[in-house]
Amino acid sequence: MSSRLRKSLINSSICRRVMLTSTGSLAVALLSLCAFAYVPWLGVERDAKTEIEAELDLIQSTFETQGLEGLLATLDYDHGVIWDDEQVVQIMESNDFIIRVADSEEETLAGFPNLEADYGWAVDYIWLYDFDTVYRAFVLRAELSDDISVSIAKPVNDDIVSRTEEVRAMGIGLILFWVPTTLLIAIWLSRYTHRRLAETAAIVDQVGHDRFDARVEVLQDDEFSQLDIVINEMLDRSEALAQNLEGVSIGVAHDLRTPISNLGGRLQLMERDAGDSEAVLRHVQASQDHIQSLLRTLEALLRLGDVEAGKRKAGFATIRLSDLAMELVETFDPVFAEADKTLSAHISPDLLVIGDKDLLTQMLINLLENILDHARDGARAWFNIKVVGDQVSIIVGDDGPGIPVSRTEQVFERFFRLDSSRNSPGNGLGLSLVKAIAELHGGEAKLVKSNPGAEFEILLPTV
């Protein structure tokens, strides 16, 4: 079984789920970092572009009104129209624009020669080689005429640039750390889960090969331990079911073998006494008795199976239990007297339960017949029904020899008989049916007194 669980740890469901969850968390973290860095950047970009566009309007107006010479004159800051690195530093300290005017041959006519950019908007770098420094800036290049262009740059605040660079580094570091760490954790979890499941699967596999005593070892108090406990409880029930099935099989074999053997014997006797019509008639009558015994056993098994499967629950209705019990007492009173036994009854009036009338009748009959079959001659029996809390208590007992303490746990098992030779009447299914009917009605059946005498109590929910 364990080999069936072998698979790639990376392809396991837990590994995929961990990686998926981790990827989602990483995405949220990266988005948060981006929001922390780039939301301020967007504001700075918007303001810088507004200022650059305003500066471009001013330069275009100067160019149109004063011509190229007038424009170049406005860019002469006492050091000539061509700016060096020192002039650019002074301009940036005054928070002014860095400008370059070029002709169609890309020759710088005025401004800073290192400000080289393509037409349109860009985020570019301004190199100051004399100072071994570089600045980041928003740059706009536009045409003033067919052969004259102007580039305008607005350096970005160092704090904003630093924050952006830090966030970028943090994002890369986060990815480099997060992904392998998550993968290692996912593989470890998958490995741990696989090992625990393989151990459990191995035990279940043993049970599947008739090792009903195998159980999962519960070592830790975690989710797998809870699963192991549930599996062990299931295996306990399965083992009990298997044992019960074995007992049922043996019981059925015993209970069917005797009447079948008797039928076979009667057939031989009928063959021997074929010429004696009276003897043949006796054999036929005896055979019919054996057949009836077989049919009673089979009918009891079928009814017990139906009850345990809950097939009769759909027809439940309100039953006047007091009236039903009184009718049974009237029916069984002469039967007890004929069997040299006495039956006393104390039944509270107007007791109602929800259930199947035929099954409840069968349950009470089985309890009373159990006394008739097994109580001693002259025994005193009692049949009491009353309300206890929110339940109806049905007590049926006698003062006979009772049930040995060592056998009390078996009384509700199928085919259980105190007479192991099976010479006593019955098929050992009566009390099993009582218990099944009580549980079908949401109640319970229990043996409350066993020796001396035997007393059974049935508890049913009352209306």
Side-chain angles (χ1 to χ4, degrees), residues 340-397:
D340 192 22
K341 299 175 178 64
T342 59
L343 176 64
S344 62
H346 298 281
I347 300 172
S348 299
D350 303 324
L351 295 180
L352 302 178
V353 295
I354 301 295
D356 184 295
K357 183 176 182 180
D358 292 340
L359 291 180
L360 292 174
T361 301
Q362 180 73 62
M363 179 183 72
L364 298 178
I365 288 176
N366 284 7
L367 289 170
L368 294 172
E369 288 184 343
N370 187 63
I371 296 176
L372 288 172
D373 292 338
H374 302 293
R376 59 175 173 78
D377 291 342
R380 184 178 61 86
W382 53 90
F383 182 30
N384 303 327
I385 303 180
K386 61 181 180 179
V387 174
V388 178
D390 58 352
Q391 293 180 307
V392 173
S393 172
I394 304 171
I395 294 179
V396 180

Side-chain angles (χ1 to χ4, degrees), residues 222-291:
D222 57 12
E223 293 81 1
F224 289 103
S225 298
Q226 297 300 317
L227 174 63
D228 293 341
I229 292 172
V230 172
I231 289 176
N232 284 340
E233 292 174 351
M234 178 195 70
L235 294 178
D236 290 339
R237 292 192 295 270
S238 297
E239 183 178 16
L241 181 62
Q243 293 174 349
N244 185 45
L245 182 60
E246 182 180 1
V248 168
S249 301
I250 295 173
V252 170
H254 276 283
D255 277 287
L256 297 185
R257 182 179 62 184
T258 299
I260 290 175
S261 298
N262 290 335
L263 277 173
R266 287 295 175 178
L267 289 174
Q268 292 177 356
L269 292 175
M270 290 171 65
E271 184 179 11
R272 185 196 66 185
D273 299 332
D276 187 346
S277 60
E278 292 183 1
V280 170
L281 181 59
R282 289 196 302 272
H283 297 323
V284 170
Q285 291 173 342
S287 298
Q288 290 176 339
D289 292 337
H290 297 318
I291 291 173

Side-chain angles (χ1 to χ4, degrees), residues 5 47 189 212 315 332:
L5 295 177
D47 294 341
L189 287 174
F212 289 106
F332 273 84

Side-chain angles (χ1 to χ4, degrees), residues 6-116:
R6 290 178 188 152
K7 56 189 293 187
S8 171
L9 295 178
I10 295 179
N11 289 330
S12 66
S13 60
I14 189 169
C15 186
R16 291 198 301 270
R17 288 178 181 274
V18 170
M19 291 300 296
L20 182 61
T21 302
S22 177
T23 301
S25 302
L26 177 60
V28 171
L30 292 176
L31 288 174
S32 300
L33 285 175
C34 290
F36 174 75
Y38 289 103
V39 169
W41 174 272
L42 293 175
V44 170
E45 182 181 23
R46 182 185 63 250
D47 294 341
K49 287 184 175 181
T50 300
E51 294 175 8
I52 290 173
E53 288 172 347
E55 181 68 14
L56 176 62
D57 291 341
L58 179 61
I59 291 174
Q60 286 177 329
S61 176
T62 302
F63 181 76
E64 290 172 0
T65 57
Q66 302 180 26
L68 179 60
E69 293 298 327
L71 175 61
L72 297 181
T74 62
L75 300 177
D76 186 355
Y77 292 165
D78 300 329
H79 295 281
V81 295
I82 304 300
W83 301 349
D84 57 19
D85 291 356
E86 186 175 350
Q87 284 180 282
V88 170
V89 170
Q90 294 175 357
I91 291 172
M92 287 192 298
E93 288 177 352
S94 63
N95 197 30
D96 207 343
F97 299 97
I98 301 172
I99 299 173
R100 173 176 177 260
V101 178
D103 59 17
S104 58
E105 300 297 328
E106 295 296 325
E107 291 293 330
T108 302
L109 303 178
F112 188 49
N114 291 343
L115 183 59
E116 298 178 352

Side-chain angles (χ1 to χ4, degrees), residues 77 154 171 176 338 349 398:
Y77 292 165
K154 180 75 174 179
L176 294 177
E338 184 178 350
D398 66 80

Side-chain angles (χ1 to χ4, degrees), residues 127-141:
W127 293 89
L128 303 180
Y129 296 105
D130 292 346
F131 295 91
D132 194 22
T133 305
V134 63
Y135 293 92
R136 202 172 185 186
F138 297 105
V139 182
L140 172 61
R141 183 175 181 181

